[in-house]
Amino acid sequence: PIQLLTTVVAAFYFSTKGHRNSCLVLRRQLTNILAVPMVLNGPTRLHTATVAIAVSCILDYSRAASSAAAFAPSFSLRKRCIRPFPSSSLTAPVPLASNSPHCTALSAAVSSVGGENAVQSKSSAKINEQNSTEYEIDNLLLVEQTESIPRGQLTQDNKRDMLTVMRQLSSMGRRRDDIAGTSKDGSYTRQRRQDATIVERLLDRLSHEYQYSTEFSNDSRQSNQDVNARTFNLAIKAWANANVRGSAEKAERVLKRLKVANINGGGAVTPSTSLQPDLYSFAYCYAAWYRESIFASKNIGNMKASSIAMRKAESVLQSMKQTLMREAREGVQGPHSLNMVEDVNSLLIMWSNTNVNLPDLSEKFLRFLEAGSRGTIDTWLNTRSYNLVINAWAKSGRIESIHQAELLLEEMEKSNKLAPDLLSYSGVISCMAKGKRASSVKKAQDILHRMTKRNIVRPDNVVFNQVMNIFSKRGSKGSAEQCEKLLGRMEDLAAEGNELVAPDIRTYNIVLSAHAREKGPSEAEKVLQRIEMHGDIKPNSVTYITCMDSYAKIGDAHNSLRVLSLMEKSFENGNLQAKPTRRAYVSALNSLAKSGRGDAGARAEALVQTMEKMSARDGNYDLKPDTNVYNVLINCHKNSAARAEKVLYRMGKRDVVSYSNVMNAYSKMGGIKAAKRAQALLDEMQNEDVEPNAYAFNSAITAWSRSGSRGGPKKAEELLQKMEQLYEAGNSELQPSAKVYTSVISAWAKSNDPGSALRAEILLKLMWAMYKRGNKSIKPNTQTFTSVISAWGRSRDKEAGERAEHLLDQMIKLYEKGNNDVKPNVLTFTAAIHAYSRAGVRDAATKADGILKKMEAMGVNPNIQTYNNLISLWGNSQQLGAGKKAESILTKLEDEYRDGNKNMRPTVISYTNAINAWAKNADYGKAEKANDLLERMKEMHAAGAIADQPNEFSYTAVLNACATTYGEYGEKQDAFRIAYRVFKEMSDSDSLKPNHVSYSTFLRAISKLMPDGEKKDSMVSAAFRLCIRDGQCDSNCLFHMKNAAPPELVAELLGCSDLSEACALELVELPPSWRCNAMNTSRPRNK
């Protein structure tokens, strides 16, 4: 008892100090002490629970917990616990002896340790990251301890612990559970190699113990049970599952050691003591070489090494044939021949679970066994063996899986020994369900037809459901009709007596899903009504949710909520299968989020409140809103970022989707405040230990690109650089994609900062260089190029048009070489034309016309913006024939609209730009041509061809065409008549009034077109008085009035007695009421 108490106290000390290696030694001592019965039955009467508490405090991993549970079965502990024990388990009430002060002291110590663990549980995430390292130290220490024990002194506990560790480290499940978080910096590969090394070292120690007991002990029976073929198989399996370079060679080395041990051992005939290599020995080694062959070919590209490894795998199979199948031919049935089929199937199951992408590993093994077992007395394969390989192909989802599964099925159908069963056909249909080929549907129908034709295997409703599911997922034309036919066929077969094929609720759900995909939610709801009226089948939750999802897909929130109410009523009426679930409410919330309704946020809030009340009132925690529910609720507030942010801080657990949705709402708002708030949320994520993903960064970048601030593009590019730094530091989820780079380029494209277009093009070149170096995710696309071209269009640089066209030509060349991702679209061509219109160069219209020809040559149809830009370019070109060219483009636009292309409907801008083209031209009769276009515009509006009637800009353009008419007196006289009529029509109209440009242009027309005299003076006086009455007088109006009127009239109109004073009067000296409605914009004055 004194030694026990000393050990427990030391264990507490070392556990609180974190000396884990010392704790391991003390655990072993404590185990050995408690193995003596006198301790627990001595006079001190230490209670068993006291020892259990002590052991649970020594270590926080699985073996300590299992030891404590063994000593005190009443003490509640998990069998497999890697995380530290919570404080509640350490301070649990246990029946301590009343006369044991040591127990009371230990319990108090346990409480203190439990308090420390409660504090440490706040950083449980960091502790979980250390679990793999602690587990590794534990195993290494076990190896060192066993190797330090002299030969012949290993206890059965030692051997049992060694075998337990060997089984754990050799399994693929341990690799997923215990070292899942150690994949960075190659530590995952090192861990796998070290696991296999530990298993082989433990095997060496057990082998040495076996040799010692064989040589120096009379009774080697127990040692033979510890070291047998299965023990060696653990080491072979460990190296096979390690899947690192050289692991196959080491697995074969262990297999050779087993063969040598079998030759030297001899005499053992029972399965538990045999050193004869069995099926697993060869199979594990074969799998190791096969994996190494695939690794060499796909990951390294070394086909020579891959071929050598594959030959090694085949040689292992040949060795297995010589060792195992030879005896079968000779009629000798060794221990390995027992349950051979079950062993083969067990291997196939393991490979299908651990090697999902390598179904050919299982098939090659199956083919070899099928060929090698011919003529033997043992049965190596059965129908289930083939089914397992078919299922392996179905799991892989590879392109050739359907073909390979069909071949296996055909072999079974032609075989005299094996016959396919229901699972065989079902597995082949599963392969077809995962395939994306259109021919899979017909093949699945053929399989179903073959089943019914052979009359050997009767199909059940599961097989029919699989075929119907293939039709349903395709969603192509006629899929719903095919599902209905199969449903009718199932009903007919059930009526004939085949009860296994009777349709169930899953069958009807598939039919409903097929209608929803092909015909829409209304047809899907008709199927729902059929199910509700069915006598034997009632709709379940999946039925209602599928119907709701179809409505949510099109944003029909009204009908989605209506189906939810039907679901609730069905449950209230006794249909327990239709119990409303959280998934149903999420579907309703999704419909509100996609509806675009103004009250979507309010209705979503009411729905979430209903969920909260129902979960609290009925105790239905399945309806308690979780993070996913709140994330969808945030999406419902996407038009109100402030409300979305309130939901963010109201919810409990926030994840990266929560923050990203709110940031996306701010990115759509635009403005500097929204951008700053999105940036603040991104910073807050990192402070809250929520790791942002690429979508979160892209939302912040988009917010800065839409901020309209001067430093917005720079902020967006800084976020891009931060993403690159985090990605290079090891965060693979933050690899900048083409979408992120395009968002930054778009920010520069929308900026008016000097050099913004050049910066956008530099980023494009950087993307292209990184793509050429092998980064496929950053490949520039059409949107990227279009954004850079748009940036040059906004720059007003004289070379903008040429830079834009150069980028366009690059895109065309890349597309002609086969790069479909950069095919120019209508937006690309329109942006290039717009770049010429903003550049202001003399031959811009001609070059833009050349871009239009390239556009037509590639089969890209222009849109209304393309034609409007072209008309504007010709209007500003001042080239001979520009007016005629602009009008021809307008006529083409009208013809396309008359031919039925509703997207080519001319607009007011189209006609106004064409009128401006005539106004800025020097051709004869341009005033009349401009007026004709105005009249055509009126007729088109009256006929409904254009939506808007001519505005003041259209009328002013005609006035400008008249005012800039030069020629003989007759032409000027005709031009003034048109100008007077147009101006009077504007003045008398109720829908539009002349603006300051209209007045100044009309005064200019009077000045240029009318001869001096009373009529001219009267016209100037009337026009100027109307101008000052409307408050539209600006500097141009004043200038043209002074040019048109004599000095006496100028003095009279301005109210000056002195003529020189009137002529020198400036605009600012005029009464404010004369100029109150005129825009204070400086316009170039054409004298």
Side-chain angles (χ1 to χ4, degrees):
I2 297 175
Q3 186 182 4
L4 172 63
L5 184 60
T6 306
T7 306
V8 170
V9 172
F12 273 118
Y13 173 77
F14 286 121
S15 63
T16 55
K17 296 297 182 180
H19 296 170
R20 308 187 60 79
N21 295 346
S22 301
C23 291
L24 285 167
V25 179
L26 291 172
R27 188 188 71 86
R28 175 61 61 190
Q29 293 181 5
L30 191 61
T31 305
N32 294 335
I33 294 171
L34 293 176
V36 182
M38 59 169 280
V39 173
L40 295 179
N41 298 326
T44 54
R45 298 181 181 180
L46 286 172
H47 198 278
T48 307
T50 309
V51 180
I53 295 173
V55 174
S56 67
C57 293
I58 292 176
L59 290 175
D60 55 358
Y61 59 92
S62 57
R63 285 209 299 260
S66 60
S67 301
F71 296 137
S74 62
F75 195 74
S76 177
L77 290 173
R78 290 177 287 180
K79 292 184 179 180
R80 187 175 186 275
C81 179
I82 296 178
R83 298 181 179 180
F85 288 106
S87 59
S88 58
S89 64
L90 294 177
T91 58
V94 292
L96 298 177
S98 59
N99 59 350
S100 177
H102 301 294
C103 295
T104 307
L106 287 175
S107 179
V110 168
S111 301
S112 64
V113 174
E116 293 178 4
N117 287 337
V119 175
Q120 293 174 357
S121 63
K122 296 180 180 180
S123 58
S124 59
K126 296 181 179 179
I127 294 175
N128 291 335
E129 296 177 358
Q130 301 172 357
N131 287 334
S132 177
T133 306
E134 295 170 356
Y135 198 77
E136 174 187 350
I137 295 173
D138 182 13
N139 294 324
L140 288 174
L141 187 59
L142 176 63
V143 173
E144 294 173 358
Q145 287 179 352
T146 54
E147 289 179 344
S148 63
I149 298 175
R151 294 187 181 186
Q153 296 186 16
L154 280 179
T155 64
Q156 289 303 314
D157 289 338
N158 296 139
K159 296 178 182 179
R160 183 170 56 251
D161 289 345
M162 293 167 67
L163 291 173
T164 300
V165 172
M166 291 175 68
R167 293 189 187 98
Q168 290 175 348
L169 298 185
S170 63
S171 66
M172 186 65 73
R174 173 271 193 278
R175 201 148 281 100
R176 293 196 189 98
D177 297 336
D178 298 337
I179 58 177
T182 62
S183 60
K184 296 181 180 179
D185 302 329
S187 57
Y188 180 52
T189 303
R190 291 195 299 270
Q191 183 68 50
R192 290 185 299 180
R193 186 184 297 276
Q194 185 160 342
D195 285 350
T197 305
I198 290 174
V199 174
E200 189 170 0
R201 288 175 64 181
L202 292 175
L203 174 65
D204 293 341
R205 182 64 185 88
L206 289 173
S207 299
H208 294 157
E209 190 73 11
Y210 167 72
Q211 293 174 1
Y212 179 86
S213 62
T214 304
E215 295 176 2
F216 300 102
S217 176
N218 294 328
D219 186 14
S220 61
R221 179 179 179 183
Q222 186 63 42
S223 297
N224 290 341
Q225 292 180 356
D226 295 328
V227 180
N228 51 31
R230 287 178 291 185
T231 313
F232 280 86
N233 289 347
L234 292 176
I236 301 174
K237 183 181 178 182
W239 281 115
N241 289 339
N243 198 21
V244 295
R245 185 175 298 181
S247 59
E249 185 177 355
K250 294 180 179 180
E252 189 171 7
R253 181 185 65 191
V254 178
L255 177 60
K256 291 178 180 178
R257 287 178 54 191
L258 176 59
K259 293 179 181 179
V260 173
N262 179 47
I263 296 173
N264 296 333
V269 293
T270 62
S272 61
T273 61
S274 175
L275 286 171
Q276 169 75 31
D278 59 7
L279 178 68
Y280 292 97
S281 311
F282 292 101
Y284 293 151
C285 189
Y286 154 74
W289 279 116
Y290 195 93
R291 289 196 194 102
E292 188 155 322
S293 173
I294 299 300
F295 179 82
S297 62
K298 292 186 177 181
N299 295 45
I300 304 177
N302 190 342
M303 302 308 298
K304 183 178 180 180
S306 175
S307 178
I308 294 173
M310 188 59 71
R311 286 198 296 268
K312 290 279 189 180
E314 293 173 355
S315 67
V316 171
L317 292 179
Q318 292 298 328
S319 178
M320 180 185 75
K321 180 178 180 181
Q322 295 173 2
T323 304
L324 301 182
M325 298 181 177
R326 177 172 55 82
E327 293 184 1
R329 289 193 184 93
E330 296 172 356
V332 180
Q333 197 167 14
H336 55 272
S337 301
L338 302 175
N339 300 323
M340 193 63 70
V341 177
E342 287 76 7
D343 290 342
V344 171
N345 292 342
S346 176
L347 282 169
L348 294 175
I349 292 173
M350 181 189 70
W351 285 339
S352 66
N353 292 330
T354 58
N355 300 275
V356 179
N357 297 325
L358 290 178
D360 33 10
L361 168 69
S362 300
E363 183 172 355
K364 188 167 184 177
F365 189 70
L366 177 78
R367 301 283 187 192
F368 178 82
L369 292 179
E370 192 273 334
S373 62
R374 293 172 186 170
T376 63
I377 63 174
D378 288 333
T379 302
W380 289 74
L381 301 173
N382 59 7
T383 301
R384 190 187 178 205
S385 308
Y386 280 83
N387 293 346
L388 290 171
V389 179
I390 291 174
N391 288 331
W393 280 109
K395 284 182 179 181
S396 69
R398 286 166 52 173
I399 298 176
E400 67 272 22
S401 60
I402 298 176
H403 177 68
Q404 296 298 127
E406 284 184 303
L407 290 178
L408 289 169
L409 179 62
E410 290 175 0
E411 290 182 12
M412 294 174 68
E413 290 176 339
K414 296 177 182 178
S415 175
N416 297 325
K417 296 181 179 180
L418 300 174
D421 57 8
L422 188 61
L423 294 178
S424 308
Y425 292 99
S426 178
V428 177
I429 296 175
S430 296
C431 289
M432 297 172 180
K434 292 186 177 182
K436 297 182 179 179
R437 297 181 179 178
S439 59
S440 301
V441 178
K442 188 176 183 306
K443 288 183 177 181
Q445 283 183 306
D446 293 341
I447 294 291
L448 185 62
H449 179 70
R450 281 157 57 183
M451 290 179 65
T452 54
K453 185 178 180 180
R454 288 170 61 91
N455 290 327
I456 299 176
V457 179
R458 299 177 65 185
D460 59 358
N461 55 9
V462 175
V463 177
F464 273 93
N465 289 345
Q466 284 180 314
V467 179
M468 293 170 65
N469 199 28
I470 296 175
F471 279 108
S472 176
K473 288 183 177 180
R474 292 296 181 274
S476 56
K477 186 177 180 180
S479 59
E481 183 181 356
Q482 291 293 334
C483 288
E484 291 284 1
K485 288 182 180 179
L486 289 172
L487 175 62
R489 188 176 172 187
M490 293 173 69
E491 293 173 345
D492 295 340
L493 291 174
E496 294 174 1
N498 188 358
E499 297 180 356
L500 295 176
V501 82
D504 55 7
I505 185 58
R506 174 172 167 76
T507 310
Y508 282 95
N509 287 344
I510 294 173
V511 176
L512 188 149
S513 179
H515 281 282
R517 284 190 173 97
E518 181 187 358
K519 300 181 179 180
S522 57
E523 294 296 325
E525 191 168 358
K526 291 180 182 178
V527 179
L528 172 62
Q529 294 171 358
R530 284 166 52 189
I531 301 173
E532 290 176 336
M533 293 185 295
H534 201 285
D536 300 328
I537 299 176
K538 293 182 180 180
N540 59 10
S541 301
V542 178
T543 313
Y544 289 102
I545 291 172
T546 305
C547 193
M548 292 173 64
D549 286 343
S550 63
Y551 279 116
K553 188 176 180 180
I554 62 174
D556 191 347
H558 173 73
N559 284 310
S560 180
L561 293 172
R562 181 176 56 80
V563 175
L564 177 62
S565 64
L566 292 176
M567 184 181 184
E568 294 171 342
K569 290 179 181 179
S570 178
F571 177 69
E572 292 173 358
N573 293 334
N575 184 8
L576 300 180
Q577 299 298 322
K579 182 179 180 180
T581 61
R582 187 187 296 120
R583 174 68 178 80
Y585 284 94
V586 168
S587 179
L589 290 170
N590 276 322
S591 67
L592 287 169
K594 294 182 179 180
S595 66
R597 298 174 49 158
D599 61 341
R603 299 192 67 173
E605 289 280 2
L607 205 60
V608 173
Q609 290 177 3
T610 302
M611 295 177 66
E612 293 172 345
K613 291 179 181 177
M614 292 176 65
S615 63
R617 181 190 61 199
D618 304 333
N620 186 3
Y621 293 103
D622 292 336
L623 284 180
K624 187 176 181 180
D626 59 356
T627 304
N628 187 31
V629 172
Y630 285 109
N631 289 343
V632 182
L633 178 59
I634 291 173
N635 272 337
C636 294
H637 289 298
K638 59 186 175 183
N639 295 326
S640 176
R643 294 178 181 176
E645 191 170 359
K646 287 183 180 179
V647 177
L648 176 70
Y649 292 115
R650 192 181 84 195
M651 61 191 294
K653 182 181 179 181
R654 298 185 286 270
D655 59 6
V656 63
V657 179
S658 313
Y659 282 98
S660 299
N661 288 344
V662 180
M663 292 166 63
N664 186 44
Y666 275 114
S667 69
K668 292 179 179 179
M669 284 181 58
I672 184 64
K673 292 183 179 179
K676 288 182 177 179
R677 192 62 204 137
Q679 180 70 53
L681 288 172
L682 182 64
D683 297 337
E684 182 181 326
M685 289 177 67
Q686 298 168 347
N687 296 332
E688 294 291 333
D689 292 333
V690 178
E691 191 171 352
N693 55 14
Y695 181 73
F697 271 94
N698 192 40
S699 297
I701 289 172
T702 305
W704 280 113
S705 68
R706 296 177 179 176
S707 64
S709 62
R710 190 172 184 84
K714 188 176 179 181
K715 290 283 188 180
E717 192 166 351
E718 287 176 356
L719 288 175
L720 173 62
Q721 293 172 356
K722 186 174 182 180
M723 284 186 70
E724 292 174 338
Q725 293 173 359
L726 292 174
Y727 172 69
E728 292 173 357
N731 192 341
S732 58
E733 294 184 358
L734 288 181
Q735 181 180 9
S737 62
K739 183 178 180 180
V740 177
Y741 269 90
T742 303
S743 297
V744 179
I745 290 174
S746 179
W748 284 110
K750 295 175 183 178
S751 172
N752 293 322
D753 296 345
S756 57
L758 184 60
R759 185 59 192 164
E761 188 169 353
I762 290 173
L763 287 174
L764 173 63
K765 292 180 179 179
L766 178 63
M767 289 179 66
W768 191 257
M770 294 171 68
Y771 165 69
K772 284 295 184 181
R773 288 198 297 267
N775 191 349
K776 303 300 182 183
S777 65
I778 210 168
K779 180 181 180 181
N781 53 27
T782 302
Q783 186 181 358
T784 313
F785 276 93
T786 303
S787 297
V788 180
I789 293 173
S790 299
W792 281 113
R794 291 176 60 92
S795 67
R796 292 185 178 274
D797 193 287
K798 291 184 178 181
E799 298 179 355
E802 296 178 358
R803 301 292 289 265
E805 188 172 6
H806 177 68
L807 290 170
L808 177 63
D809 292 338
Q810 283 185 354
M811 295 178 68
I812 295 174
K813 290 179 181 179
L814 290 171
Y815 171 69
E816 291 174 349
K817 290 180 180 179
N819 191 346
N820 295 325
D821 293 334
V822 294
K823 180 183 179 181
N825 56 23
V826 62
L827 298 178
T828 312
F829 284 102
T830 304
I833 293 173
H834 182 66
Y836 272 117
S837 69
R838 301 271 291 187
V841 295
R842 183 170 292 275
D843 57 345
T846 305
K847 293 183 177 180
D849 204 34
I851 293 177
L852 180 64
K853 292 178 181 178
K854 295 178 183 178
M855 186 178 186
E856 294 172 347
M858 290 193 65
V860 179
N861 297 321
N863 59 14
I864 185 65
Q865 286 80 14
T866 311
Y867 284 119
N868 285 343
N869 282 329
L870 281 170
I871 295 172
S872 176
L873 268 168
W874 281 108
N876 295 324
S877 67
Q878 298 182 359
Q879 297 181 14
L880 291 175
K884 188 176 181 180
K885 182 67 177 179
E887 189 172 351
S888 67
I889 297 173
L890 178 63
T891 304
K892 185 178 181 180
L893 195 62
E894 293 174 337
D895 293 340
E896 290 193 22
Y897 177 73
R898 291 192 187 97
D899 292 340
N901 190 351
K902 301 302 180 182
N903 294 326
M904 303 303 287
R905 186 179 189 181
T907 63
V908 176
I909 298 175
S910 309
Y911 285 95
T912 304
N913 286 341
I915 295 172
N916 273 325
W918 280 112
K920 295 179 181 180
N921 197 11
D923 292 346
Y924 177 82
K926 65 177 184 179
E928 186 177 355
K929 294 289 186 181
N931 187 57
D932 291 343
L933 285 178
L934 181 64
E935 295 301 324
R936 275 169 60 182
M937 190 177 180
K938 295 177 185 177
E939 292 174 2
M940 294 287 286
H941 173 67
I946 60 175
D948 299 323
Q949 62 182 354
N951 56 22
E952 60 269 18
F953 299 103
S954 308
Y955 282 92
T956 303
V958 178
L959 291 176
N960 191 32
C962 297
T964 55
T965 298
Y966 299 95
E968 299 178 355
Y969 174 75
E971 184 181 356
K972 290 183 178 181
Q973 194 174 14
D974 293 339
F976 182 74
R977 291 195 191 99
I978 295 172
Y980 177 76
R981 186 172 61 252
V982 169
F983 182 77
K984 190 174 186 304
E985 187 176 343
M986 288 182 69
S987 302
D988 296 341
S989 175
D990 295 331
S991 58
L992 53 91
K993 292 295 181 181
N995 57 17
H996 61 285
V997 182
S998 307
Y999 280 112
S1000 64
T1001 307
F1002 184 61
L1003 288 170
R1004 183 185 177 192
I1006 296 172
S1007 174
K1008 297 290 185 181
L1009 302 177
M1010 289 189 70
D1012 295 337
E1014 293 183 1
K1015 289 185 178 180
K1016 181 177 182 180
D1017 295 344
S1018 174
M1019 190 66 70
V1020 171
S1021 177
F1024 189 74
R1025 292 183 189 279
L1026 287 174
C1027 179
I1028 61 177
R1029 183 199 67 180
D1030 295 340
Q1032 296 286 355
C1033 183
D1034 66 350
S1035 58
N1036 283 307
C1037 293
L1038 183 61
F1039 174 79
H1040 289 301
M1041 184 273 293
K1042 291 179 180 180
N1043 279 348
E1048 294 81 4
L1049 182 59
V1050 173
E1052 180 184 348
L1053 292 174
L1054 297 179
C1056 298
S1057 57
D1058 189 0
L1059 297 181
S1060 60
E1061 181 184 355
C1063 293
L1065 198 64
E1066 299 290 338
L1067 180 66
V1068 293
E1069 300 177 71
L1070 298 179
S1073 60
W1074 289 14
R1075 49 189 170 85
C1076 59
N1077 295 325
M1079 295 178 63
N1080 295 322
T1081 56
S1082 59
R1083 293 181 291 115
R1085 184 184 301 126
N1086 189 350
K1087 296 184 180 180

